[in-house]
Amino acid sequence: MHSKLVIIGSGPAGHTAAIYASRADLHPVMYEGFLALGIAAGGQLTTTDEVENYPGFTRIQGATLMDNMRAQSEACGTTIVSQTVGKVDLSERPFKYWIHPMGDDDNLEEEVHTADSLIIATGAKARRLGLDGEDKFWGNGVSACAVCDGSLPIFREKPLVVIGGGDSAVEEGIYLTKKAAKVTVLVRKGFLRASKANARRLMEHPKVEVRFNSEGLEIKGDEGPRGLMKSMVIKNNKTGKVEEIPANGLFYAVGHDPATALFKGQVDMDEDGYIKTIPGTAETTVAGVFAAGDVQDKKYRQAVTSAGTGCMAALEAEKWLLEQSDEDTADADHDVRKGADKANGDVPEYRSNPLLGASSKV
């Protein structure tokens, strides 16, 4: 199958790109992935219980928001394929790619697919620690984004915990002080890796307690499928002391892993594996390949910023494809003037006349 534009990924960035590309009559094909990164199609928002900071919705379930985006993409004309792209070749155009058989991440289908342009929107996955109770209370007290979830009612005026020792942990901890009764920051080592200024802000904040040489062991809470987190068992890894502290929320700030292994060695990435884009654009180092969303954004990582870069990627892909079409037209015109055997028979001055349209022939 050959497509003018292929979108890999189905989060806010991918679907926004699909909506814009469809409205531009690019007939995009989206590969939404079959449990790519171990997450359902729709990305990280499908694991988020309630979203309160996406414009247009006072409050909406993360999975519902992604269902709405998917429906809009299809309504606009996007072809959505529920399979995972397993290999790409960006060394020449048209770009080549292969997909995994449904539910099989070890093998590739033999068929080679091609695309004139590509939007990478494969996202990133928050690192987890695998604590006891983590899966049970994920979305019901456990999160990897304080800015996304910290304002939810279940966290307001409650004791909260942040795990991490870098600048992200400091920023998340300070953000949560606006909502929480108390914020406990667990730092595995005996020092903060954050900048001195950030570390000082955290240590001096009256609502914050920093516990060094400490780590989480278990998350506890209400029983039942919708039970909420109530406490956390922690351990001092220097003294061996184990204790249970009240905690209605736990926020991981231990980093994210961008889903870029598929493109390693083919587009430029930074030291953490995020795809590099030209500042102010969604353009990668490969002409015709664009990146949007968390796959290229290690700073904001918000649904709305992902959607914004998805829009940018689609508009830039449309412009790039038009430029390629103009170049092809110029080459064809040159062939016509030369009387080449491969000329398509179009007369340039007639074809470029908007009143006569594309059907005008010699």
Side-chain angles (χ1 to χ4, degrees), residues 34-335:
F34 182 78
L35 291 178
L37 298 182
I39 301 175
Q44 293 185 80
L45 273 185
T46 61
T47 68
T48 301
D49 187 29
E50 290 187 342
V51 178
E52 292 185 321
N53 58 3
Y54 197 86
F57 300 94
T58 303
R59 182 178 298 171
I60 187 171
Q61 298 288 315
T64 302
L65 178 59
M66 294 319 304
D67 286 344
N68 291 350
M69 289 190 188
R70 190 182 194 278
Q72 187 173 359
S73 292
E74 284 193 305
C76 288
T78 303
T79 298
I80 299 179
V81 181
S82 297
Q83 285 181 275
T84 304
V85 175
K87 179 183 177 182
V88 299
D89 181 358
L90 307 180
S91 62
E92 60 181 0
R93 296 196 295 268
F95 305 120
K96 300 183 181 70
Y97 64 96
W98 295 258
I99 59 178
H100 290 302
M102 187 69 79
D104 181 357
D105 288 342
D106 297 322
N107 300 298
L108 294 172
E109 293 183 355
E110 292 184 2
E111 185 178 2
V112 180
H113 304 276
T114 57
D116 292 326
S117 59
L118 185 70
I119 293 177
I120 301 170
T122 45
K125 185 177 182 180
R127 293 175 191 159
R128 299 190 184 189
L129 297 176
L131 305 183
D132 288 345
E134 178 182 284
D135 290 338
K136 174 179 173 57
F137 294 104
W138 191 269
N140 292 317
V142 184
S143 169
C145 181
V147 176
C148 308
D149 303 327
S151 294
L152 295 177
I154 61 172
F155 299 128
R156 292 174 187 167
E157 297 303 320
K158 302 289 177 59
L160 306 178
V161 174
V162 174
I163 295 181
D167 284 306
S168 293
V170 170
E171 290 165 6
E172 299 239 320
I174 291 175
Y175 176 84
L176 290 172
T177 59
K178 303 172 185 177
K179 317 293 179 182
K182 176 184 178 181
V183 177
T184 301
V185 180
L186 303 182
V187 184
R188 185 169 55 87
K189 297 182 178 181
F191 58 90
L192 288 166
R193 293 181 290 104
S195 66
K196 290 183 179 180
N198 266 345
R200 185 168 56 252
R201 287 173 60 211
L202 187 74
M203 297 291 293
E204 294 177 353
H205 200 288
K207 279 190 175 182
V208 174
E209 178 186 3
V210 180
R211 294 202 176 198
F212 293 104
N213 303 304
S214 298
E215 55 192 83
L217 294 180
E218 183 181 359
I219 302 162
K220 294 185 175 183
D222 299 329
E223 295 300 323
R226 299 291 293 174
L228 299 177
M229 176 182 176
K230 296 295 184 183
S231 64
M232 186 173 178
V233 179
I234 65 173
K235 176 184 178 180
N236 185 300
N237 54 37
K238 226 175 183 183
T239 65
K241 180 182 178 181
V242 175
E243 61 181 305
E244 184 173 343
I245 63 173
N248 292 82
L250 168 62
F251 295 85
Y252 288 153
V254 291
H256 289 70
D257 294 315
T260 54
L262 186 63
F263 312 100
K264 189 174 182 180
Q266 304 202 59
V267 295
D268 281 1
M269 302 178 188
D270 69 11
E271 65 278 3
D272 297 316
Y274 288 85
I275 293 176
K276 291 182 178 180
T277 53
I278 297 173
T281 78
E283 299 175 27
T284 70
T285 50
V286 177
V289 177
F290 308 87
D294 287 5
V295 78
Q296 54 84 52
D297 173 22
K298 60 167 42 173
K299 182 177 182 180
Y300 299 106
R301 294 195 296 265
Q302 300 298 302
V304 68
T305 52
S306 291
T309 55
C311 167
M312 291 165 58
L315 293 175
E316 289 167 4
E318 178 189 7
K319 179 177 180 292
W320 184 84
L321 286 166
L322 181 61
E323 290 171 349
Q324 302 312 300
S325 177
D326 288 344
E327 288 180 9
D328 292 343
T329 300
D331 290 341
D333 291 348
H334 182 64
D335 286 343

Side-chain angles (χ1 to χ4, degrees), residues 330-350:
D331 290 341
D333 291 348
H334 182 64
D335 286 343
V336 169
R337 287 192 296 273
K338 287 171 47 179
D341 293 336
K342 295 182 179 179
N344 59 14
D346 288 355
V347 178
E349 61 268 30
Y350 281 97

